[in-house]
Amino acid sequence: MTVDRQEKSASARAPGIVLPGPVLIVGCGKMGGALLRGWLGRGVSARQIAAVDPAFATGVAGFEDIAAASVALLGAPDQLPPDFRPALVLLAVKPQFMDAALPGYRRLVSPDTVFLSIAAGKSLAYFHSVLGDQARIVRSMPNTPAAIGKGMTVIYRDPAISAEQLALCGELLAAVGTIAWIDREDLLDAVTAVSGGGPAYVFLLIECLARAGCAAGLPEDLAAELARLTVCGAGALAEQSQEDVVQLRQNVTSPKGTTLEALKVLMAPDGLQDLMTRAVAAAARRSRELSR
Ligand SMILES: NC(=O)c1ccc[n+]([C@@H]2O[C@H](COP(=O)([O-])OP(=O)(O)OC[C@H]3O[C@@H](n4cnc5c(N)ncnc54)[C@H](OP(=O)(O)O)[C@@H]3O)[C@@H](O)[C@H]2O)c1
C-alpha cells in the first residue's frame, strides 16, 4: 500500500481553483453543502456549480447565500439543461439513496466527465453496474470537519482514471482540508471506519469525559466545557506539535502522578485500545456489507 499525503493544510494551498468545466453536486446535505461552500471559498465561480437535491424543489432554506451567488440549485436532474456537460459530478447522497438517485445521471456519462463519489461502502463495481462500463468514477472518503476546512479525505487512485481527472478530484477535495491517496480500493472500508466515522468517536469521547467529570463531582456545565475544550486543545496540540502523540501523552504523565492512574485503567488489556479496535472493525465490516 502506498499512501501519498499530498495536501498538509488549507493554508498551504494555492489560492484558487480553475475548473475545466462545470461541476454538479448530487445531494447537497452535510457533506455536499460543506464541499460547495469550500469551493466557493476557494474562488470557484458560482456560475460553474449546480446542485441537485430534492429539498431545492420547495425552497433553498439554509442556502440563500449560495442561491444569491448564482449557484443553480435544482430539485431534480431533469431541470439540468439538455446540453449540460459537467467536468465533474460529486455523488453525495446517502448510500441507501444511491439506487434511486444514480440512474438520473446516466446521460452525463462521457470520457470528459468524472463522477466523484464520497459515499460510504458503494464500490466501483456498483457504480459501473448502474452507470455503465464507460463511466469514469473516483471513490473517496471525507469526514465532517470538512465543514470548517479541516476535513481528512482519502481518495482511491484508480489507474483507469486520467491524471487530469484525478488531479481535479484531488484539488476539489483539498479545498476542504487534507487529502491522502491510496492505491487499493478495498482499503476504503478501513478508511471509512477510521477517518470517515472518526469524528463521531471523538465526540463520544467528549461526552464520556464530561459524564465522568460529573460523576467525579463537577457541575454538568463545567464538566461539559472542560471535556470539549480539552479535546479541542489536545487536537490542536497534536496537529501543531513537532512531537508525536505518544510523546505528547507521556508529557502529561508524571511518574506516580494522577494521569498515570487514569491511563492504567484506559490502557488495561480490555481498555480503550480493545474497544477502539472492535469499534473500527465493526464499522469496516458494515462498510463491506454496504458494498455488496
Ligand atoms: N456525514 C458524514 O460523516 C460522512 C462522512 C464521509 C462520507 N459521507 C458520505 O457522504 C454522503 C452524504 O452524507 P451526508 O452526511 O452529507 O448526508 P445528508 O446530510 O443526508 O445529505 C444527503 C443529501 O442528499 C439528498 N438526497 C436524497 N436523495 C437524493 C436524490 N435522489 N438526489 C439528490 N439528492 C438527494 C438528501 O435529501 P433528504 O435529506 O431530503 O433525504 C440530503 O440533502 C453519504 O454517501 C455518506 O456516506 C458522510
Side-chain angles (χ1 to χ4, degrees):
M1 177 197 72
T2 60
V3 176
D4 165 21
R5 306 202 85 217
Q6 193 186 53
E7 293 284 340
K8 283 301 287 178
S9 73
S11 59
R13 292 191 303 265
I17 298 175
V18 179
L19 295 176
V23 164
L24 173 65
I25 298 171
V26 178
C28 207
K30 288 183 282 296
M31 294 304 310
L35 279 155
L36 170 55
R37 289 180 190 282
W39 297 341
L40 293 175
R42 288 285 314 284
V44 171
S45 162
R47 291 180 192 282
Q48 283 195 288
I49 309 178
V52 176
D53 192 297
F56 297 144
T58 51
V60 293
F63 288 86
E64 292 85 353
D65 54 330
I66 304 281
S70 299
V71 174
L73 301 178
L74 312 171
D78 58 11
Q79 292 169 3
L80 290 164
D83 60 348
F84 185 64
R85 292 280 170 272
L88 183 140
V89 178
L90 177 80
L91 298 172
V93 301
K94 292 276 190 205
Q96 59 269 33
F97 297 139
M98 206 58 89
D99 284 351
L102 215 45
Y105 301 91
R106 259 190 215 123
R107 71 178 176 87
L108 300 181
V109 170
S110 121
D112 299 328
T113 299
V114 62
F115 288 77
L116 172 59
S117 169
I118 62 167
K122 288 292 182 190
S123 65
L124 288 180
Y126 165 80
F127 288 114
H128 283 299
S129 75
V130 181
L131 295 174
D133 291 341
Q134 300 307 312
R136 310 279 166 97
I137 301 152
V138 170
R139 281 188 69 192
S140 66
M141 179 47 56
N143 62 14
T144 55
I148 55 160
K150 290 276 187 183
M152 177 69 239
T153 304
V154 177
I155 312 166
Y156 169 50
R157 194 194 329 251
D158 185 344
I161 305 297
S162 73
E164 291 76 18
Q165 287 179 322
L166 285 173
L168 176 62
C169 294
E171 193 171 19
L172 287 172
L173 291 167
V176 291
T178 301
I179 60 170
W181 297 89
I182 53 173
D183 294 325
R184 275 175 42 196
E185 184 187 2
D186 63 318
L187 292 178
L188 281 169
D189 295 314
V191 166
T192 301
V194 173
S195 55
Y201 320 154
V202 176
F203 300 136
L204 178 64
L205 175 68
I206 296 175
E207 293 172 58
C208 291
L209 187 53
R211 278 196 286 270
C214 286
L218 292 176
E220 199 174 314
D221 287 359
L222 180 60
E225 200 65 344
L226 295 187
R228 192 172 68 86
L229 294 180
T230 297
V231 171
C232 294
L237 188 58
E239 184 184 31
Q240 291 172 31
S241 174
Q242 299 301 314
E243 295 177 317
D244 66 22
V245 289
V246 173
Q247 185 59 53
L248 290 173
R249 168 170 57 75
Q250 288 168 351
N251 293 348
V252 190
T253 318
S254 338
K256 299 184 183 164
T258 57
T259 308
L260 182 62
E261 289 307 303
L263 290 179
K264 280 182 193 167
V265 177
L266 290 170
M267 297 174 82
D270 60 348
L272 190 56
Q273 183 61 73
D274 178 60
L275 267 179
M276 193 61 83
T277 303
R278 287 193 284 127
V280 166
R285 196 162 52 241
R286 180 64 184 142
S287 177
R288 284 191 291 276
E289 280 169 14
L290 284 171
S291 67
R292 275 186 217 125

